[in-house]
Amino acid sequence: MKWLILLLIPMRIFADTGTFLHRAIEPARMGLDVSIVGEKVAAYVVVGAESLEYLSDETDKQQVYQVLKETAWFVLSVDARCRVVDHSVHQQADRIKGFQILRCERPGKLKSIDVDLYNRIPALKAVDVWLTTERWQKKTTVYPDHTLVNIRSGMLP
């Protein structure tokens, strides 16, 4: 209990000074959720308003929309023999969101996901990736110099 009181005292003093803490963010980023279940790989992408604001400084919002609409968002292991079977992207006033559905003939051969967007959207600074399978999940962030998300061995059928 002593530690709790000691931790709260500085916060109270800090609050009385009128000083506010602001969370630092890297605004030029997007979210990518990837779910692998059986032969199906489902990916969902969201580029929020705060990211669009910063991306539009260097890249027109329409260009971001076109890149997501026309291209693959990531590269999967060739041995898995995956192909896109459905793809949709929607632009709203404050965000761009969409999904891709892939079917893999040999999902057990998926070893990694290479997020392949930085060359086409140069202002993008980070992609927050949440990868889930029936047995495992991983949350990570990829950057222009490190685009690979490894899939742990034995986590796919």
Side-chain angles (χ1 to χ4, degrees):
M1 189 61 139
K2 288 180 188 177
W3 290 107
L4 180 60
I5 292 169
L6 291 175
L7 291 174
L8 292 176
I9 290 172
M11 293 174 74
R12 176 75 180 138
I13 292 169
F14 204 60
D16 288 342
T17 65
T19 305
F20 296 95
L21 289 175
H22 296 280
R23 183 174 166 228
I25 61 167
E26 178 83 35
R29 64 191 314 135
M30 68 175 55
L32 176 64
D33 295 348
V34 180
S35 173
I36 305 171
V37 178
E39 295 180 347
K40 181 180 172 184
V41 177
Y44 303 91
V45 67
V46 175
V47 184
E50 62 281 342
S51 291
L52 282 177
E53 179 181 321
Y54 286 92
L55 286 170
S56 66
D57 290 345
E58 295 179 37
T59 308
D60 181 68
K61 292 175 190 176
Q62 189 63 28
Q63 182 183 358
V64 173
Y65 171 71
Q66 288 300 326
V67 165
L68 293 175
K69 187 176 178 184
E70 296 174 1
T71 62
W73 304 334
F74 47 81
V75 177
L76 298 173
S77 309
V78 176
D79 291 342
R81 297 183 189 161
C82 300
R83 61 182 169 77
V84 176
V85 295
D86 198 1
H87 177 97
S88 180
V89 177
H90 303 281
Q91 184 173 10
Q92 300 171 333
D94 63 340
R95 72 184 60 172
I96 297 172
K97 61 183 181 176
F99 71 90
Q100 285 186 353
I101 307 294
L102 298 93
R103 292 275 179 216
C104 300
E105 291 178 27
R106 298 165 46 186
K109 296 286 185 176
L110 288 170
K111 304 294 180 213
S112 62
I113 296 173
D114 190 355
V115 180
D116 189 29
L117 291 169
Y118 295 104
N119 289 333
R120 291 168 295 202
I121 307 174
L124 185 62
K125 302 296 181 207
V127 177
D128 298 313
V129 179
W130 188 318
L131 172 63
T132 59
T133 71
E134 294 172 86
R135 302 178 189 161
W136 177 72
Q137 62 182 337
K138 179 177 188 171
K139 189 169 186 178
T140 190
T141 302
V142 294
Y143 300 96
D145 62 340
H146 181 73
T147 61
L148 202 63
V149 178
N150 290 314
I151 299 170
R152 197 161 82 185
S153 179
M155 293 299 114
L156 297 172

